[in-house]
Amino acid sequence: MKIMEWPQQERPRERLMRDGAESLSDAELLAIFLRTGTRNYNVVDLARHLLSQFGGLRQLLEAEHKTFTEQPGMGTAKYCQLQASLELSKRYLQQNLQLNQSFSSPDDVKQFLSSLLSHHKREQFLVLFLNNQHQLIAQETLFQGTINSAEVHPRVVVEQALRYHSAAVILAHNHPSGCLEPSPSDRQITDRIQQALQLVDIRTLDHIIIAHNKSYSFAEHGLI
């Protein structure tokens, strides 16, 4: 049955306007972006089919262009539309958190870092540079590695922290493999950076690992 043949109160757009976007399922939200179905599927059924084929919303949005467009009815236009919507949501979240944000709440920090790092397929090492009130001065991805490791130099972290006149930093990197536990090298580089920053009176507040929207805090586990 075509969407236009559904009772009006059950259609995704009408439900969104009436009850809010949060009331819709992943498939219904996706259907609004897709706009049209195919010969075999109305747009909601098509969205359900795509989520099933890819294993969920995250996997669908992270799919490569070639893989995405191999699905019937999924061309470059729809791929670009979904990628643009994903990037808009990231930028909204980042700007909202950066505006007068004090990074004193662990949950806020994790949410912010997840928005920056969770989608990367290669390892990224990022530093948040903070002032005395733990407000964000700047953020920089200082190192990028293979899918297994990133070569991190404490001297570079210290140089950038001094450049921004930072009072404190939060270290972060992602584990594209999905493994949340810190490796021995993760612990070692954290200790080296912390010691190097102590020499110039800059505090290391935390080192957070992001793995598929999950997070691990060194500070919460007593490692900093």
Side-chain angles (χ1 to χ4, degrees):
M1 180 185 295
K2 295 180 180 179
I3 292 294
M4 295 307 295
E5 296 174 357
W6 288 18
Q8 189 167 8
Q9 68 272 16
E10 294 182 13
R11 300 173 192 171
R13 290 183 185 178
E14 284 73 8
R15 286 189 53 221
L16 184 149
M17 295 300 297
R18 185 184 70 244
D19 302 325
E22 65 276 6
S23 69
L24 271 61
S25 67
D26 288 351
E28 290 168 327
L29 288 170
L30 180 58
I32 290 175
F33 276 108
L34 295 177
R35 298 179 58 190
T36 59
T38 64
R39 179 180 298 177
N40 297 322
Y41 297 106
N42 66 45
V43 68
V44 174
D45 287 339
L46 175 61
R48 290 171 180 152
H49 172 74
L50 289 171
L51 292 173
S52 175
Q53 287 292 103
F54 284 91
L57 188 59
R58 181 181 64 81
Q59 295 91 330
L60 172 64
L61 292 172
E62 291 180 357
E64 299 290 344
H65 174 257
K66 182 177 184 297
T67 305
F68 182 88
T69 54
E70 285 173 349
Q71 294 295 316
M74 295 298 103
T76 296
K78 281 188 168 65
Y79 176 82
C80 290
Q81 187 177 1
L82 286 175
Q83 290 303 306
S85 69
L86 176 62
E87 184 60 27
L88 279 172
S89 66
K90 290 176 187 173
R91 294 185 188 188
Y92 169 78
L93 179 58
Q94 291 171 22
Q95 291 178 17
N96 191 44
L97 287 169
Q98 283 177 295
L99 185 62
N100 298 320
Q101 177 66 52
S102 176
F103 281 75
S104 55
S105 165
D107 288 339
D108 286 345
V109 176
K110 291 173 184 177
Q111 184 181 17
F112 181 73
L113 290 171
S114 181
S115 75
L116 296 175
L117 294 172
S118 62
H119 63 287
H120 285 288
K121 293 180 174 62
R122 285 176 170 266
E123 196 162 309
Q124 315 280 316
F125 189 93
L126 180 146
V127 182
L128 304 180
F129 300 98
L130 312 176
N131 63 18
N132 274 316
Q133 287 74 46
H134 295 171
Q135 292 174 322
L136 184 65
I137 301 170
Q139 67 190 48
E140 279 201 37
T141 299
L142 296 182
F143 307 100
Q144 300 184 50
T146 66
I147 201 166
N148 296 314
S149 64
E151 189 175 359
V152 179
H153 303 286
R155 174 179 55 81
V156 176
V157 178
V158 173
E159 287 174 351
Q160 292 302 96
L162 291 172
R163 173 192 170 200
Y164 290 116
H165 305 287
S166 307
V169 302
I170 295 174
L171 312 174
H173 76 283
N174 62 316
H175 280 177
S177 66
C179 176
L180 199 57
E181 291 295 315
S183 67
S185 61
D186 291 338
R187 296 176 183 237
Q188 183 182 46
I189 195 60
T190 303
D191 290 341
R192 289 176 59 201
I193 292 173
Q194 186 175 18
Q195 291 167 14
L197 288 169
Q198 283 174 344
L199 295 175
V200 289
D201 295 321
I202 297 174
R203 288 165 289 134
T204 306
L205 300 182
D206 206 346
H207 184 170
I208 295 176
I209 297 172
I210 301 295
H212 295 178
N213 293 317
K214 297 178 291 183
S215 60
Y216 180 100
S217 164
F218 276 55
E220 289 179 358
H221 287 81
L223 300 177
I224 284 184

